[in-house]
């Protein structure tokens, strides 16, 4: 007939990531809280693609940031009346406040558990970097002659996708295509006849291992690409200049990514033909 009573302290607290103290989960006692990010556009055909005319420029989703570094968590989170295990931030969320609910009660939608908790100065620096990235994306789009929305069936079909042992996937809200076990894939892109152009390929800088492949233009190898953790934790572009001698009078070029025997080709996150500086 004994009765055991267990009391768990139900206080708001942060659980930082082991390798990044500025990124943390928010908990209420033992309960992990998740931020509600909504369900609008949850399954778009091209996630987070900015449509600029005929072409797509990928930008990462804008996650809310908490300008609360160095402050006690109960100073900037308050409970929502009459909603158990539901909270909201006050005065620290950018670009908007965040509604928080017990993770196990989360309804199907986008959500986040870990948050960047930074200072106002760090937020200002991030905004400046964001504006710079947008300008670069706009400049890239203005210079684009033809491009492929990787992983988008309509765009890949329109550019005559072919290949063996090839597939596509998603990583960091961007789609990629690769070929395994000596496979290959190719696209046709439009080019102006007898004019120099540039071919831009985008890769993930932390890819490595067996990724060794040739890049061929109209069956002529123009480069051999090895991905070997070249730019850790960031996307990077490789640009190849294509002379009129390579292109001739063609108005279409076939770009093929051919893996070496037993190796992989890609992943390719972006592929486009750009105007040459000489045009």
């Amino acid at each position: 007939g004994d009765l055991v009573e267990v009391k768990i302290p139900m206080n708001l607290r942060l659980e930082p990531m082991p390798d990044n103290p500025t990124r943390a989960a928010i908990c209420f006692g033992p309960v992990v809280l998740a931020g509600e990010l909504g369900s609008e556009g949850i399954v778009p055909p091209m996630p987070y693609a900015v449509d600029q005319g005929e072409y797509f420029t990928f930008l990462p989703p804008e996650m809310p940031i908490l300008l609360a570094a160095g402050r006690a968590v109960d100073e900037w989170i308050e409970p929502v009346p009459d909603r158990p295990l539901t909270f909201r931030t006050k005065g620290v969320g950018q670009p908007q406040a965040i509604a928080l609910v017990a993770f196990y009660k989360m309804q199907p939608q986008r959500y986040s558990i870990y948050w960047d908790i930074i200072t106002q100065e760090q937020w200002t620096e991030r905004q400046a970097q964001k504006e710079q990235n947008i300008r670069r994306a706009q400049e890239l789009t203005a210079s684009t002659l033809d491009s492929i929305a990787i992983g988008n069936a309509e765009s890949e079909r329109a550019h005559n996708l072919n290949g063996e042992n090839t597939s596509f996937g998603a990583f960091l809200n961007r789609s990629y295509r690769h070929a395994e076990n000596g496979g290959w894939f190719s696209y046709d892109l439009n080019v102006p006849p007898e004019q120099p152009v540039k071919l831009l390929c985008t890769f993930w800088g932390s890819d490595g291992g067996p990724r060794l492949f040739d890049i061929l233009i109209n069956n002529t190898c123009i480069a051999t690409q090895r991905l070997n953790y070249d730019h850790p934790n960031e996307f990077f572009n490789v640009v190849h200049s294509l002379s009129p001698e390579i292109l001739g009078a063609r108005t279409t070029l076939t770009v093929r990514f051919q893996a070496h025997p037993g190796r992989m080709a890609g992943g390719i996150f972006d592929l486009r033909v750009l105007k040459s500086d000489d045009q």
Side-chain angles (χ1 to χ4, degrees):
D2 291 345
L3 176 66
V4 177
E5 184 176 300
V6 178
K7 294 183 178 181
I8 300 175
M10 299 301 289
N11 300 315
L12 288 166
R13 59 189 177 85
L14 298 179
E15 282 287 345
M17 297 187 71
D19 60 343
N20 185 356
T22 66
R23 181 168 294 169
I26 301 171
C27 300
F28 183 60
V31 180
V32 176
L33 303 179
E36 298 178 331
L37 301 182
S39 57
E40 182 179 354
I42 198 167
V43 191
M46 291 296 296
Y48 310 111
V50 178
D51 186 357
Q52 298 177 340
E54 184 180 352
Y55 308 112
F56 291 87
T57 299
F58 286 92
L59 297 174
E62 185 169 13
M63 295 292 294
I65 302 293
L66 300 176
L67 308 185
R71 295 176 56 186
V73 64
D74 55 6
E75 292 180 9
W76 46 271
I77 293 182
E78 61 184 2
V80 176
D82 302 322
R83 291 186 62 187
L85 297 178
T86 304
F87 301 81
R88 61 180 169 230
T89 62
K90 52 180 182 178
V92 298
Q94 288 290 349
Q96 72 270 337
I98 303 167
L100 297 159
V101 65
F103 183 38
Y104 74 88
K105 297 176 63 177
M106 174 68 65
Q107 299 299 310
Q109 61 176 297
R110 289 194 182 98
Y111 66 88
S112 183
I113 290 178
Y114 284 93
W115 309 94
D116 287 341
I117 303 174
I118 61 175
T119 65
Q120 179 64 53
E121 291 75 16
Q122 291 171 321
W123 168 249
T124 301
E125 292 174 0
R126 289 193 180 196
Q127 288 300 99
Q129 182 63 53
K130 175 186 172 182
E131 292 175 2
Q132 185 181 42
N133 291 341
I134 290 175
R135 287 195 299 271
R136 288 176 178 172
Q138 292 171 338
E139 292 170 357
L140 181 62
T141 298
S143 182
T144 296
L145 296 169
D146 195 10
S147 69
I148 300 164
I150 303 294
N152 179 280
E154 182 178 353
S155 178
E156 292 192 318
R157 184 167 52 249
H159 289 87
N160 194 30
L161 168 66
N162 283 288
E164 294 179 358
N165 297 336
T166 181
S167 60
F168 76 92
F171 177 71
L172 292 181
N173 301 306
R174 297 184 65 165
S175 296
Y176 66 86
R177 179 167 291 281
H178 66 197
E180 300 179 275
N181 193 28
W184 61 276
F185 59 96
S186 69
Y187 298 104
D188 292 343
L189 292 100
N190 298 318
V191 293
E194 298 181 340
Q195 292 187 32
V197 297
K198 296 186 292 186
L199 181 72
L200 179 143
C201 307
T202 301
F203 306 102
W204 174 240
S206 289
D207 275 342
R211 302 176 189 270
L212 179 65
F213 52 97
D214 294 330
I215 303 175
L216 299 91
I217 301 294
N218 299 330
N219 295 320
T220 298
C221 181
I222 64 165
T224 296
Q225 181 73 50
R226 178 189 294 274
L227 300 182
N228 192 30
Y229 314 103
D230 308 276
H231 300 268
N233 300 317
E234 65 178 6
F235 293 100
F236 72 101
N237 297 328
V238 175
V239 178
H240 301 281
S241 296
L242 306 179
S243 67
E245 290 74 23
I246 294 176
L247 303 176
R250 298 181 179 90
T251 57
T252 301
L253 62 85
T254 299
V255 183
R256 176 169 171 146
F257 299 91
Q258 174 67 63
H260 286 201
R263 303 297 184 93
M264 294 179 62
I268 306 295
F269 288 84
D270 193 9
L271 179 65
R272 61 182 67 211
V273 175
L274 306 178
K275 298 175 184 176
S276 172
D277 299 333
D278 298 331
Q279 287 180 283

